[in-house]
């Protein structure tokens, strides 16, 4: 448990019945409801244009209502049970603020007036879905059973997660830029139509192979080129592995990796449903391989990247350094001689020797931009 959370629970601990669990859940539900109401009120500023039309409004309002009720109940419970009232009062404050703004009946704000937006809807949707999947999974099937949900530096990783989702407009634009601006000349309509005429399943297999080959090259370059490594070192500075650690990525790392990996997909011109299916697959798979889960997937671990394979990419063991670059297909590492996958074992610890990267999102944002420094890896 971190110092900040410990401070919130001074003298009362986090055990069941202490009001800590109800307080944390109350704050989470209150925050989701408050964010949801803001999205209804200011859709132009806070929601993703392509996604707006897809949201089932009735379900969104029902969820906001359910979160408000849950946050009020849990916040009240925490205030009653807990000596320190910070969590309970924060939950009740968020509930009150969301209710005063209209709650689940908030009117929908006018659209238009701006083309720039912050992806608050994208953040809320992802944090809700991923937490719903991974928090119970990591509780029930933890590899490191003593690692709590709010482990060391969770605030840093949650900030990475939040900011990269809020900046979705910028990151998508920059991801598309290298392909559309520099590689338009390489597009051949006859090649694209030949690819699009293939069955979707075959296209999906092909897109996973092509994307992972290019991700492999870019990822390996991030490890080998010293000035690129300084950006990627942020990802490797995580000393606790779980679903949230996957979000610890410098914005330059995100944009360059995605931008360069997208180039071959753009040139080959896979069908739109295949491209979207791959985007959903990679978003889930990239999170999953960081998760603190003990599954080994013996039958498929030689063919598909599993948490154990990628955990070795983050290992402190010297023999695992600069190994396992693939995101989806371990065979790519075996082909290029960069695989390290000892039978049945997990790493002893994660992170960088000497912990050269500071904690905190802002410090990590600026760290690679400062003078070149030797990072032991
Ligand atoms: Zn790496
Ligand atoms: Zn990773």
């Amino acid at each position: 448990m971190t110092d900040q959370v410990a401070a919130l629970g001074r003298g009362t601990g986090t055990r069941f019945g202490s009001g800590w669990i109800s307080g944390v859940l109350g704050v989470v539900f209150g925050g989701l409801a408050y964010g949801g109401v803001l999205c209804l009120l200011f859709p132009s500023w806070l929601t993703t244009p392509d996604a707006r039309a897809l949201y089932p409004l009735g379900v969104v309002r029902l969820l906001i209502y359910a979160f408000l009720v849950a946050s009020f109940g849990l916040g009240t419970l925490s205030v009653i049970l807990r000596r320190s009232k910070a969590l309970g009062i924060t939950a009740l404050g968020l509930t009150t603020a969301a209710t005063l703004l209209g709650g689940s009946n908030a009117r929908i704000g006018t659209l238009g007036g701006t083309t720039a937006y912050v992806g608050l809807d994208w953040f809320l949707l992802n944090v809700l879905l991923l937490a719903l999947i991974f928090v119970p999974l990591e509780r029930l099937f933890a590899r490191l059973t003593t690692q709590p949900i709010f482990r060391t530096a969770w605030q840093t990783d949650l900030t990475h997660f939040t900011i990269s989702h809020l900046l979705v407009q910028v990151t998508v634009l920059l991801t598309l830029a290298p392909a559309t601006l520099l590689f338009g000349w390489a597009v051949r309509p006859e090649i694209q139509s030949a690819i699009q005429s293939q069955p979707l399943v075959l296209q999906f297999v092909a897109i996973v192979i092509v994307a992972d080959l290019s991700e492999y090259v870019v990822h390996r370059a991030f490890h080998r080129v010293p000035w690129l490594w300084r950006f990627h070192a942020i990802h490797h500075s995580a000393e606790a592995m779980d679903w949230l650690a996957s979000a610890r990525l410098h914005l330059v790392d995100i944009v360059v990796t995605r931008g360069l990996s997208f180039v071959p997909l753009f040139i080959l011109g896979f069908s739109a449903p295949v491209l979207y299916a791959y985007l959903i697959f990679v978003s889930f798979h990239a999170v999953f391989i960081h998760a603190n889960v003990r599954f080994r997937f013996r039958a498929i671990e030689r063919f598909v990247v599993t948490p154990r394979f990628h955990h070795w990419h983050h290992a402190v063991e010297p023999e695992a350094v600069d190994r396992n670059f693939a995101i989806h297909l371990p065979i790519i590492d075996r082909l290029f001689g960069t695989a390290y996958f000892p039978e049945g074992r997990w790493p002893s610890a994660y992170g960088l020797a000497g912990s050269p990267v500071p904690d905190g999102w802002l410090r990590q944002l600026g760290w690679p931009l400062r003078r070149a420094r030797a990072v032991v890896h």
Side-chain angles (χ1 to χ4, degrees):
M1 194 175 70
T2 59
D3 294 337
Q4 287 86 340
V5 176
L8 285 173
R10 258 188 311 274
T12 49
T14 59
R15 71 186 191 288
F16 187 77
S18 68
W20 187 81
I21 296 170
S22 52
V24 168
L25 286 175
V27 171
V28 170
F29 288 137
L32 287 168
Y34 185 63
V37 171
L38 289 179
C39 285
L40 289 177
L41 290 173
F42 308 106
S44 282
W45 293 98
L46 301 178
T47 64
T48 315
D50 290 341
R52 271 174 217 151
L54 303 174
Y55 291 130
L57 203 56
V59 176
V60 171
R61 291 194 185 280
L62 194 66
L63 275 175
I64 292 175
Y65 179 76
F67 290 151
L68 283 173
V69 172
S71 176
F72 181 75
L74 291 162
T76 307
L77 184 64
S78 180
V79 166
I80 293 167
L81 291 174
R82 198 164 182 78
R83 199 178 309 145
S84 165
K85 310 296 182 195
L87 284 170
I89 287 173
T90 305
L92 293 176
L94 286 165
T95 312
T96 309
T99 308
L100 288 174
L101 290 172
S104 58
N105 294 317
R107 61 170 179 79
I108 298 194
T110 48
L111 286 170
T114 176
T115 51
Y117 66 92
V118 167
L120 181 60
D121 59 334
W122 184 235
F123 162 71
L124 293 172
L125 199 64
N126 274 282
V127 82
L128 180 65
L129 271 178
L130 293 173
L132 264 177
I133 294 169
F134 285 105
V135 172
L137 206 63
E138 291 184 344
R139 287 296 87 201
L140 292 170
F141 306 102
R143 180 181 96 75
L144 298 173
T145 50
T146 52
Q147 181 174 299
I149 298 171
F150 296 100
R151 40 71 179 175
T152 307
W154 67 271
Q155 303 95 325
T156 298
D157 294 352
L158 184 61
T159 311
H160 277 287
F161 185 96
T162 307
I163 290 175
S164 60
H165 280 80
L166 293 182
L167 292 180
V168 61
Q169 183 182 28
V170 180
T171 53
V172 167
L173 272 177
L174 292 175
T175 298
L176 301 179
T180 50
L181 296 177
L182 302 174
F183 289 91
W185 58 268
V187 172
R188 290 281 173 275
E190 61 274 19
I191 293 177
Q192 294 202 336
S193 56
I195 288 171
Q196 285 167 13
S197 66
Q198 301 302 313
L200 295 181
V201 176
L202 194 63
Q203 283 192 58
F204 184 79
V205 173
I207 202 172
V208 171
I209 295 170
V210 172
D212 209 19
L213 274 170
S214 47
E215 280 157 2
Y216 176 93
V217 173
V218 179
H219 190 179
R220 200 165 165 180
F222 264 99
H223 277 249
R224 287 293 155 86
V225 181
W227 68 270
L228 282 176
W229 166 249
R230 291 205 299 278
F231 291 101
H232 191 57
I234 304 301
H235 184 59
H236 283 268
S237 68
E239 291 175 2
M241 290 292 275
D242 61 7
W243 69 278
L244 198 54
S246 64
R248 181 184 287 225
L249 284 163
H250 196 281
L251 288 172
V252 169
D253 192 347
I254 294 178
V255 166
V256 173
T257 302
R258 288 184 194 169
L260 295 181
S261 305
F262 180 64
V263 171
L265 309 188
F266 170 78
I267 293 172
L268 293 171
F270 292 96
S271 304
V274 173
L275 193 61
Y276 289 128
Y278 175 69
L279 290 178
I280 293 169
F281 171 67
V282 69
S283 331
F284 177 81
H285 196 203
V287 175
F288 177 65
I289 59 179
H290 293 87
N292 175 30
V293 289
R294 61 173 176 261
F295 309 125
R296 268 195 59 189
F297 301 101
R298 260 171 229 268
I300 58 163
E301 68 177 359
R302 288 179 59 78
F303 310 105
V304 180
V305 171
T306 56
R308 198 170 73 84
F309 185 86
H310 191 69
H311 279 220
W312 276 109
H313 181 64
H314 285 263
V316 292
E317 277 86 341
E319 60 272 28
V321 167
D322 293 340
R323 293 286 179 269
N324 299 6
F325 296 109
I327 304 295
H328 306 304
L329 306 168
I331 193 169
I332 298 177
D333 277 295
R334 288 206 294 277
L335 279 174
F336 290 105
T338 51
Y340 183 77
F341 203 36
E343 178 63 30
R345 282 200 296 123
W346 290 80
S348 61
Y350 307 106
L352 297 173
S355 304
V357 176
D359 196 21
W361 181 84
L362 200 59
R363 282 195 289 271
Q364 293 187 351
L365 184 73
W367 187 81
L369 305 167
R370 294 165 64 186
R371 65 183 170 75
R373 56 186 78 216
V375 181
V376 183
H377 182 200

